[in-house]
Amino acid sequence: MKKEGAIGLLLIVVIVVVAILFLRPKDLSAALGDGFAPEAVTAISATLSPVTTGGEEITLDFPAGEETFGQLLALLQEPSYSRTFTSDDQIALGYQVYLSFATEEAWAWSYQFQGGKLIQAGPAGETKTYQISGGQDTQQEILDFLLEQAG
């Protein structure tokens, strides 16, 4: 009987450790995954799609080396990202934001949000859902920066 209790306790400890490692907050590089390194990014493209009819889609490009490229990357690197399996269909911002990150070879990673506390990020076509620290306030700060660049 004691042996079964010890095995059960060991199993609980293993599950807790795995959960902590999996769900702990990550930085932008870990959220985007698949070899993402800020120094390898040659450009960031942003598409802002209005959530109401009649609005105009905005497309912005940020080539590496420009001051705004560094500012946008810093805004994205500031929060932490925690893996989650919940879904958040709440559209709470005026735009849905889609960011794509390019390397010399391809558009390799994507990052998108529309308000609430969740973002989708990862290798292009293989994104995962993360909870962003600061939630909608952080998303609004990023959107405000992009809208300011649009003029």
Side-chain angles (χ1 to χ4, degrees), residues 4 9 14 43 60 62 65 75 97 126-127:
E4 291 148 349
L9 183 60
V14 168
L60 303 164
F62 300 91
L75 277 173
V97 177
E126 302 174 28
T127 61

Side-chain angles (χ1 to χ4, degrees), residues 11-118:
L11 183 59
I12 289 171
V13 168
V14 168
I15 290 170
V16 168
V17 168
V18 169
I20 288 171
L21 290 175
F22 182 75
L23 298 175
R24 77 183 190 293
K26 299 166 180 51
D27 63 6
L28 179 66
S29 294
L32 289 173
D34 198 26
F36 177 82
E39 60 276 1
V41 176
T42 58
I44 302 172
S45 176
T47 303
L48 313 177
S49 298
V51 295
T52 57
T53 51
E56 202 170 306
E57 187 171 276
I58 300 169
T59 302
L60 303 164
D61 291 311
F62 300 91
E66 287 190 5
E67 184 179 354
T68 53
F69 173 89
Q71 292 170 335
L72 177 56
L73 206 51
L75 277 173
L76 297 171
Q77 289 176 316
E78 185 179 315
S80 61
Y81 302 89
S82 300
R83 186 79 167 91
T84 184
F85 295 101
T86 62
S87 63
D88 184 9
D89 296 326
Q90 173 185 358
I91 298 177
L93 299 174
Y95 291 88
Q96 291 182 354
V97 177
Y98 302 92
L99 302 176
S100 297
F101 299 81
T103 64
E104 295 281 335
E105 295 83 36
W107 291 96
W109 301 279
S110 64
Y111 181 108
Q112 55 195 17
F113 62 86
Q114 61 191 14
K117 59 185 177 185
L118 304 180

